[in-house]
Amino acid sequence: MTAFAIPAPAQPSVAIAGSDRRFPVRRIFCVGRNYAAHARELGNDERDPPFFFTKPADAVADSGSTIPYPPLTKNLHHEIELVVAIGKAGFRLTSEAALSHIWGYGVGVDLTRRDLQEVAKKAARPWDWSKAFDRSAPCGPVVPAEETGHPASGRIWLAVNGTVKQDGDLAELIWPVADIVAICSEAVELRPGDMIFTGTPAGVGPLAAGDTVTGGVDGIGSIEIAIGAPR
C-alpha cells in the first residue's frame, strides 16, 4: 500500500439516485455558452464552436447542501445545467460512439463569481478564480442512463426563493450531448468518473446569502441548495 506524507484527500463523489452507492468524481469539464439565448445575453456570438473550462473534482456538493457565500465576489451567479457522468474511457470519439460512454445524468449548478469572470475576460486571463472555487459545482443525484435514456429535449429550469429565473429546454442546446462528449474527447482521454456540465440556458443572475435555489431537468432529477453566510 502506498505511504503518503500527509493523509490522502477523500475521494470526491456525488449521490446516485435510489442507491446507497456514490459516483466517484475524477474531473469536471464545463461547456461555455451552449444555449443561444445565454450566449446572446452575455453579448457573445452563438455560432462560436464550444469551449471548455474546468473545476476541481472536490468542487462538487450534494443537493441539500448549504454553500457559504464565496469570498472575493459581490456578484455570485447561478447557472443550471444538465450534467453528464462518464462511465467508460474514450479518446477521439465520434458523436455516434459518444453516448455509449455515458454512465448517467444529473442536474448541476455552475456557481460563478461573475465580477471576477468579467475582470478575467477584459484582461484575457484564465477563468479559474471565477469558476473553480470551493463548492462551486453542486450536483443532484446521478441517474443511470439505462433508466433515463439519452435526453435530447426536456425542460431545464432554476428558481431562486420560488421564483423561476431560468427556464429552457435541452432541445435548445447548440451542441447536443453526443457532440459535446465527442469534442471534449478530442482534447483529453475521457475516463470513468469524469463529469461534463453541458451549458446553461438564459436567465442567469445574482444570488445572496439566505437564498434557496431549486432546479431540475425533466426526466433526470432535481437539485436544491441554500446560500449561506460568508465564512
Side-chain angles (χ1 to χ4, degrees):
M1 188 172 74
T2 302
F4 295 106
I6 60 173
Q11 168 66 57
S13 65
V14 296
I16 296 174
S19 174
D20 58 1
R21 298 185 302 162
R22 294 183 65 85
F23 186 85
V25 180
R26 182 172 182 265
R27 295 177 294 189
I28 300 173
F29 302 103
C30 304
V31 183
R33 305 171 194 159
N34 200 25
Y35 286 79
H38 175 56
R40 289 194 297 268
E41 77 178 345
L42 295 182
N44 299 299
D45 189 340
E46 65 192 67
R47 296 166 297 174
D48 286 345
F51 67 92
F52 296 82
F53 57 91
T54 62
K55 293 176 181 267
D58 63 2
V60 292
D62 283 335
S63 181
S65 296
T66 295
I67 297 173
Y69 195 93
L72 304 181
T73 185
K74 295 181 179 179
N75 195 19
L76 177 68
H77 273 211
H78 57 76
E79 299 187 9
I80 189 74
E81 313 212 5
L82 174 70
V83 179
V84 172
I86 300 296
K88 184 172 68 173
F91 182 51
R92 293 179 176 170
L93 300 171
T94 64
S95 294
E96 292 74 20
L99 294 181
S100 68
H101 292 256
I102 296 173
W103 189 89
Y105 295 92
V107 182
V109 180
D110 168 17
L111 292 174
T112 302
R113 296 191 277 206
R114 189 71 72 200
D115 41 4
L116 298 190
Q117 185 186 39
E118 293 302 322
V119 170
K121 287 179 180 178
K122 291 177 182 177
R125 293 174 180 168
W127 286 11
D128 298 59
W129 245 220
S130 67
K131 291 285 192 178
F133 53 93
D134 296 339
R135 301 186 183 185
S136 61
C139 186
V142 174
V143 185
E146 62 188 20
E147 297 180 15
T148 64
H150 297 287
S153 62
R155 185 188 183 213
I156 177 171
W157 62 276
L158 178 141
V160 179
N161 301 325
T163 300
V164 174
K165 300 292 187 178
Q166 294 183 262
D167 201 347
D169 195 287
L170 298 180
E172 299 165 2
L173 283 165
I174 298 171
W175 300 90
V177 168
D179 290 347
I180 286 298
V181 173
I183 293 167
C184 189
S185 77
E186 289 287 330
V188 297
E189 180 183 3
L190 292 173
R191 301 293 296 274
D194 288 342
M195 303 191 84
I196 302 174
F197 280 55
T198 59
T200 195
V204 301
L207 294 169
D211 283 346
T212 297
V213 180
T214 53
V217 176
D218 283 358
I220 300 299
S222 61
I223 187 171
E224 178 174 343
I225 58 172
I227 304 300
R231 293 180 60 186

